[in-house]
Amino acid sequence: MKKNDPLSTENEIVQDYDSDQQEFSFEEMELSPELMQAIEKMGFTDPTGVQARTILPMLDWHDIIAKAPTGTGKTTAFGIPALEHLEINEQGIQVLILAPTRELAIQIGEEMTELAAYMSHVRIAVVYGGRSIGNQIEEVRHKPQIMVATPGRLIDLMKRNVVHLGAVHTVILDEADRMLDMGFVRDVRYVLDKMPKVSQIAMFSATMSRSVMDISWIYQREPVEIVVEASDENKPQIDQFQIVANGAERLKATVKLIEQNSFEKVMVFCNTKYMTEAVARKLKKAGVKAESIHGDINQSMREKVIKGFRNGNISVLVCTDVAARGIDVEGVEAVINYEIPNENEHYTHRIGRTGRAGRKGVAYTFTSPVHQVRLESIIRYTRTEMELLEI
Ligand code: ADP
Ligand code: MG
């Protein structure tokens, strides 16, 4: 049912979304049995806050602008309505999901595939840069109804006349703030201007930046705004420690932390590519299953490493802030800030890799007297405690 379809008034669930704060269980959303089955298989019993508030208005074809902290289940929040919107007999791409990075695009593709596990007719294509365009052209030939894409590669495929967006009715911009911050404003606008049949634009973001508001203003019609604040419930439970150590002491301390706690999934953050490689090398020498990823490592290698980390073959992932963007590996037990981040925001992003989906995590930050000012700034910014740990 399209937004302007007169039939939609027949819909039993007519909501006044402005009177807001209404939350619905999965049952109350009256989802198709195939989706309910998938949700159950994924182990989701109750919707998260953002899911409880976005799914219904999205099903009703409203434009959406949703702000919610990371790890609150935004992917499923848009994945469910996107799948419900598909019309089996229609030709062409119906749903377009834009993501800022390849890792995120891949992850969204995986979660959508899980959600669509019992919908045999659904085909999902994931296209992103850094991979041979030939393979991705092949994917498009399989006539997907859903496309997950990074903006650059998508435009490339559009210009080669491989991808046509004429039939798209649902557009989702995931991590809209980051996408627009990364300089994709023109690309996003180029894509949005090429879709004559769009009935719904949904933007998901951790923050409401100026550029997010601009795109909303230009392209959305009376969007339903959903703001989920970080509450104690969805705020990740992360114990934070500072450890005074520098130079080689940090390596010993890292190995000790891993051994003493029997950690099997740890992310170690450094500020430079060079440092990630050096730390991974030294950890390997010390007998730790470590690998590094950073911007200069080619795509297939990065994917291999992330996969290894996900399935447990690699227990320590050493990375830069850029390389870690959008990676959501389940069950990261600890984050170690081998080097204190230069930006306060990076600290939040780094430690947010652990303690996801209601699980407890732990974060360690190495400091030395010269880093005291930086450290205090982070503590003020995050308004949290960072206990001093001696090892
Ligand atoms: P966000 O995009 O908001 O950062 P994600 O969509 O990546 O969050 O979801 C974070 C984690 O929460 C994922 O591992 C996902 O499988 C899980 N998750 C999503 N929805 C639910 C739910 N309703 N119940 C339990 N876990 C969920
Ligand atoms: Mg997300």
Side-chain angles (χ1 to χ4, degrees), residues 257-276:
L257 282 171
I258 293 168
E259 284 177 353
Q260 281 182 348
N261 297 286
S262 315
F263 286 141
E264 286 171 0
K265 225 168 228 170
V266 178
M267 283 175 86
V268 172
F269 281 90
C270 301
N271 294 345
T272 63
K273 297 170 188 175
Y274 170 80
M275 194 67 173
T276 60

PDB file of all heavy atoms in Angstrom, residues 257-276:
ATOM      1  N   LEU A 257      46.538  -8.997  30.296  1.00  0.00           N
ATOM      2  CA  LEU A 257      45.082  -8.809  30.396  1.00  0.00           C
ATOM      3  C   LEU A 257      44.344  -9.933  29.670  1.00  0.00           C
ATOM      4  O   LEU A 257      43.368 -10.475  30.175  1.00  0.00           O
ATOM      5  CB  LEU A 257      44.674  -7.466  29.765  1.00  0.00           C
ATOM      6  CG  LEU A 257      44.918  -6.199  30.577  1.00  0.00           C
ATOM      7  CD1 LEU A 257      44.650  -4.976  29.713  1.00  0.00           C
ATOM      8  CD2 LEU A 257      44.040  -6.184  31.820  1.00  0.00           C
ATOM      9  N   ILE A 258      44.841 -10.274  28.488  1.00  0.00           N
ATOM     10  CA  ILE A 258      44.186 -11.320  27.687  1.00  0.00           C
ATOM     11  C   ILE A 258      44.282 -12.657  28.402  1.00  0.00           C
ATOM     12  O   ILE A 258      43.300 -13.389  28.504  1.00  0.00           O
ATOM     13  CB  ILE A 258      44.821 -11.392  26.275  1.00  0.00           C
ATOM     14  CG1 ILE A 258      44.503 -10.105  25.504  1.00  0.00           C
ATOM     15  CG2 ILE A 258      44.312 -12.612  25.506  1.00  0.00           C
ATOM     16  CD1 ILE A 258      45.295  -9.916  24.233  1.00  0.00           C
ATOM     17  N   GLU A 259      45.474 -12.951  28.923  1.00  0.00           N
ATOM     18  CA  GLU A 259      45.663 -14.248  29.590  1.00  0.00           C
ATOM     19  C   GLU A 259      44.882 -14.339  30.893  1.00  0.00           C
ATOM     20  O   GLU A 259      44.170 -15.308  31.136  1.00  0.00           O
ATOM     21  CB  GLU A 259      47.146 -14.498  29.842  1.00  0.00           C
ATOM     22  CG  GLU A 259      47.860 -14.911  28.552  1.00  0.00           C
ATOM     23  CD  GLU A 259      49.354 -15.100  28.754  1.00  0.00           C
ATOM     24  OE1 GLU A 259      49.857 -14.791  29.859  1.00  0.00           O
ATOM     25  OE2 GLU A 259      50.009 -15.540  27.791  1.00  0.00           O
ATOM     26  N   GLN A 260      45.003 -13.309  31.717  1.00  0.00           N
ATOM     27  CA  GLN A 260      44.341 -13.359  33.027  1.00  0.00           C
ATOM     28  C   GLN A 260      42.830 -13.486  32.913  1.00  0.00           C
ATOM     29  O   GLN A 260      42.177 -14.132  33.720  1.00  0.00           O
ATOM     30  CB  GLN A 260      44.680 -12.103  33.842  1.00  0.00           C
ATOM     31  CG  GLN A 260      46.043 -12.194  34.477  1.00  0.00           C
ATOM     32  CD  GLN A 260      46.360 -10.973  35.322  1.00  0.00           C
ATOM     33  OE1 GLN A 260      45.665  -9.963  35.267  1.00  0.00           O
ATOM     34  NE2 GLN A 260      47.423 -11.064  36.107  1.00  0.00           N
ATOM     35  N   ASN A 261      42.266 -12.824  31.904  1.00  0.00           N
ATOM     36  CA  ASN A 261      40.807 -12.841  31.767  1.00  0.00           C
ATOM     37  C   ASN A 261      40.317 -13.885  30.773  1.00  0.00           C
ATOM     38  O   ASN A 261      39.122 -13.969  30.502  1.00  0.00           O
ATOM     39  CB  ASN A 261      40.309 -11.468  31.323  1.00  0.00           C
ATOM     40  CG  ASN A 261      40.596 -10.386  32.354  1.00  0.00           C
ATOM     41  OD1 ASN A 261      39.956 -10.328  33.386  1.00  0.00           O
ATOM     42  ND2 ASN A 261      41.592  -9.550  32.085  1.00  0.00           N
ATOM     43  N   SER A 262      41.249 -14.641  30.210  1.00  0.00           N
ATOM     44  CA  SER A 262      40.929 -15.616  29.149  1.00  0.00           C
ATOM     45  C   SER A 262      40.065 -14.991  28.055  1.00  0.00           C
ATOM     46  O   SER A 262      39.105 -15.593  27.578  1.00  0.00           O
ATOM     47  CB  SER A 262      40.203 -16.843  29.717  1.00  0.00           C
ATOM     48  OG  SER A 262      40.815 -17.293  30.878  1.00  0.00           O
ATOM     49  N   PHE A 263      40.410 -13.781  27.640  1.00  0.00           N
ATOM     50  CA  PHE A 263      39.651 -13.118  26.574  1.00  0.00           C
ATOM     51  C   PHE A 263      39.853 -13.855  25.258  1.00  0.00           C
ATOM     52  O   PHE A 263      40.973 -14.269  24.929  1.00  0.00           O
ATOM     53  CB  PHE A 263      40.117 -11.671  26.395  1.00  0.00           C
ATOM     54  CG  PHE A 263      39.669 -10.737  27.481  1.00  0.00           C
ATOM     55  CD1 PHE A 263      40.537  -9.750  27.950  1.00  0.00           C
ATOM     56  CD2 PHE A 263      38.389 -10.804  28.023  1.00  0.00           C
ATOM     57  CE1 PHE A 263      40.143  -8.859  28.940  1.00  0.00           C
ATOM     58  CE2 PHE A 263      37.988  -9.914  29.011  1.00  0.00           C
ATOM     59  CZ  PHE A 263      38.870  -8.946  29.472  1.00  0.00           C
ATOM     60  N   GLU A 264      38.779 -13.980  24.496  1.00  0.00           N
ATOM     61  CA  GLU A 264      38.885 -14.617  23.182  1.00  0.00           C
ATOM     62  C   GLU A 264      38.474 -13.682  22.054  1.00  0.00           C
ATOM     63  O   GLU A 264      38.592 -14.017  20.886  1.00  0.00           O
ATOM     64  CB  GLU A 264      38.045 -15.898  23.156  1.00  0.00           C
ATOM     65  CG  GLU A 264      38.721 -17.000  23.944  1.00  0.00           C
ATOM     66  CD  GLU A 264      37.852 -18.214  24.146  1.00  0.00           C
ATOM     67  OE1 GLU A 264      36.695 -18.219  23.676  1.00  0.00           O
ATOM     68  OE2 GLU A 264      38.335 -19.158  24.785  1.00  0.00           O
ATOM     69  N   LYS A 265      37.945 -12.523  22.425  1.00  0.00           N
ATOM     70  CA  LYS A 265      37.559 -11.554  21.398  1.00  0.00           C
ATOM     71  C   LYS A 265      37.854 -10.144  21.895  1.00  0.00           C
ATOM     72  O   LYS A 265      37.094  -9.592  22.677  1.00  0.00           O
ATOM     73  CB  LYS A 265      36.076 -11.718  21.069  1.00  0.00           C
ATOM     74  CG  LYS A 265      35.815 -11.706  19.593  1.00  0.00           C
ATOM     75  CD  LYS A 265      34.425 -12.139  19.243  1.00  0.00           C
ATOM     76  CE  LYS A 265      34.502 -13.169  18.133  1.00  0.00           C
ATOM     77  NZ  LYS A 265      33.277 -13.837  17.858  1.00  0.00           N
ATOM     78  N   VAL A 266      38.960  -9.597  21.413  1.00  0.00           N
ATOM     79  CA  VAL A 266      39.419  -8.301  21.909  1.00  0.00           C
ATOM     80  C   VAL A 266      39.730  -7.396  20.724  1.00  0.00           C
ATOM     81  O   VAL A 266      40.307  -7.844  19.735  1.00  0.00           O
ATOM     82  CB  VAL A 266      40.709  -8.474  22.758  1.00  0.00           C
ATOM     83  CG1 VAL A 266      41.229  -7.139  23.248  1.00  0.00           C
ATOM     84  CG2 VAL A 266      40.460  -9.413  23.933  1.00  0.00           C
ATOM     85  N   MET A 267      39.329  -6.137  20.826  1.00  0.00           N
ATOM     86  CA  MET A 267      39.749  -5.163  19.818  1.00  0.00           C
ATOM     87  C   MET A 267      40.766  -4.228  20.446  1.00  0.00           C
ATOM     88  O   MET A 267      40.530  -3.684  21.524  1.00  0.00           O
ATOM     89  CB  MET A 267      38.552  -4.375  19.280  1.00  0.00           C
ATOM     90  CG  MET A 267      37.737  -5.192  18.278  1.00  0.00           C
ATOM     91  SD  MET A 267      36.248  -4.361  17.715  1.00  0.00           S
ATOM     92  CE  MET A 267      36.921  -3.394  16.340  1.00  0.00           C
ATOM     93  N   VAL A 268      41.900  -4.077  19.775  1.00  0.00           N
ATOM     94  CA  VAL A 268      42.961  -3.188  20.249  1.00  0.00           C
ATOM     95  C   VAL A 268      43.035  -2.013  19.278  1.00  0.00           C
ATOM     96  O   VAL A 268      43.138  -2.211  18.068  1.00  0.00           O
ATOM     97  CB  VAL A 268      44.318  -3.939  20.294  1.00  0.00           C
ATOM     98  CG1 VAL A 268      45.454  -2.969  20.592  1.00  0.00           C
ATOM     99  CG2 VAL A 268      44.270  -5.063  21.329  1.00  0.00           C
ATOM    100  N   PHE A 269      42.936  -0.811  19.815  1.00  0.00           N
ATOM    101  CA  PHE A 269      42.944   0.367  18.956  1.00  0.00           C
ATOM    102  C   PHE A 269      44.267   1.128  19.007  1.00  0.00           C
ATOM    103  O   PHE A 269      44.823   1.354  20.085  1.00  0.00           O
ATOM    104  CB  PHE A 269      41.824   1.331  19.364  1.00  0.00           C
ATOM    105  CG  PHE A 269      40.485   0.900  18.854  1.00  0.00           C
ATOM    106  CD1 PHE A 269      39.679   0.072  19.619  1.00  0.00           C
ATOM    107  CD2 PHE A 269      40.037   1.312  17.611  1.00  0.00           C
ATOM    108  CE1 PHE A 269      38.440  -0.339  19.146  1.00  0.00           C
ATOM    109  CE2 PHE A 269      38.797   0.908  17.125  1.00  0.00           C
ATOM    110  CZ  PHE A 269      37.998   0.084  17.897  1.00  0.00           C
ATOM    111  N   CYS A 270      44.745   1.500  17.821  1.00  0.00           N
ATOM    112  CA  CYS A 270      45.935   2.343  17.712  1.00  0.00           C
ATOM    113  C   CYS A 270      45.576   3.550  16.854  1.00  0.00           C
ATOM    114  O   CYS A 270      44.569   3.538  16.166  1.00  0.00           O
ATOM    115  CB  CYS A 270      47.072   1.581  17.034  1.00  0.00           C
ATOM    116  SG  CYS A 270      47.533   0.084  17.912  1.00  0.00           S
ATOM    117  N   ASN A 271      46.444   4.543  16.883  1.00  0.00           N
ATOM    118  CA  ASN A 271      46.136   5.765  16.139  1.00  0.00           C
ATOM    119  C   ASN A 271      46.683   5.774  14.713  1.00  0.00           C
ATOM    120  O   ASN A 271      46.265   6.588  13.902  1.00  0.00           O
ATOM    121  CB  ASN A 271      46.667   6.993  16.896  1.00  0.00           C
ATOM    122  CG  ASN A 271      45.924   7.192  18.215  1.00  0.00           C
ATOM    123  OD1 ASN A 271      44.858   6.604  18.429  1.00  0.00           O
ATOM    124  ND2 ASN A 271      46.475   7.997  19.099  1.00  0.00           N
ATOM    125  N   THR A 272      47.643   4.906  14.413  1.00  0.00           N
ATOM    126  CA  THR A 272      48.215   4.905  13.061  1.00  0.00           C
ATOM    127  C   THR A 272      48.271   3.487  12.487  1.00  0.00           C
ATOM    128  O   THR A 272      48.283   2.500  13.218  1.00  0.00           O
ATOM    129  CB  THR A 272      49.663   5.459  13.055  1.00  0.00           C
ATOM    130  OG1 THR A 272      50.479   4.588  13.838  1.00  0.00           O
ATOM    131  CG2 THR A 272      49.719   6.869  13.620  1.00  0.00           C
ATOM    132  N   LYS A 273      48.320   3.453  11.162  1.00  0.00           N
ATOM    133  CA  LYS A 273      48.433   2.163  10.465  1.00  0.00           C
ATOM    134  C   LYS A 273      49.710   1.459  10.890  1.00  0.00           C
ATOM    135  O   LYS A 273      49.724   0.249  11.135  1.00  0.00           O
ATOM    136  CB  LYS A 273      48.516   2.408   8.951  1.00  0.00           C
ATOM    137  CG  LYS A 273      47.284   3.061   8.382  1.00  0.00           C
ATOM    138  CD  LYS A 273      47.537   3.490   6.948  1.00  0.00           C
ATOM    139  CE  LYS A 273      46.355   4.320   6.460  1.00  0.00           C
ATOM    140  NZ  LYS A 273      46.574   4.871   5.120  1.00  0.00           N
ATOM    141  N   TYR A 274      50.786   2.244  10.913  1.00  0.00           N
ATOM    142  CA  TYR A 274      52.081   1.687  11.263  1.00  0.00           C
ATOM    143  C   TYR A 274      52.004   0.987  12.612  1.00  0.00           C
ATOM    144  O   TYR A 274      52.483  -0.127  12.787  1.00  0.00           O
ATOM    145  CB  TYR A 274      53.132   2.804  11.292  1.00  0.00           C
ATOM    146  CG  TYR A 274      54.431   2.349  11.873  1.00  0.00           C
ATOM    147  CD1 TYR A 274      55.343   1.621  11.096  1.00  0.00           C
ATOM    148  CD2 TYR A 274      54.754   2.621  13.203  1.00  0.00           C
ATOM    149  CE1 TYR A 274      56.528   1.170  11.636  1.00  0.00           C
ATOM    150  CE2 TYR A 274      55.942   2.173  13.747  1.00  0.00           C
ATOM    151  CZ  TYR A 274      56.831   1.447  12.960  1.00  0.00           C
ATOM    152  OH  TYR A 274      57.991   1.005  13.498  1.00  0.00           O
ATOM    153  N   MET A 275      51.383   1.656  13.575  1.00  0.00           N
ATOM    154  CA  MET A 275      51.302   1.115  14.924  1.00  0.00           C
ATOM    155  C   MET A 275      50.457  -0.164  14.961  1.00  0.00           C
ATOM    156  O   MET A 275      50.815  -1.113  15.653  1.00  0.00           O
ATOM    157  CB  MET A 275      50.699   2.180  15.851  1.00  0.00           C
ATOM    158  CG  MET A 275      50.874   1.881  17.304  1.00  0.00           C
ATOM    159  SD  MET A 275      52.613   1.953  17.791  1.00  0.00           S
ATOM    160  CE  MET A 275      52.431   1.784  19.563  1.00  0.00           C
ATOM    161  N   THR A 276      49.345  -0.195  14.212  1.00  0.00           N
ATOM    162  CA  THR A 276      48.518  -1.412  14.234  1.00  0.00           C
ATOM    163  C   THR A 276      49.346  -2.610  13.768  1.00  0.00           C
ATOM    164  O   THR A 276      49.284  -3.679  14.356  1.00  0.00           O
ATOM    165  CB  THR A 276      47.265  -1.314  13.322  1.00  0.00           C
ATOM    166  OG1 THR A 276      47.670  -1.088  11.988  1.00  0.00           O
ATOM    167  CG2 THR A 276      46.303  -0.255  13.771  1.00  0.00           C
TER     168      THR A 276
END
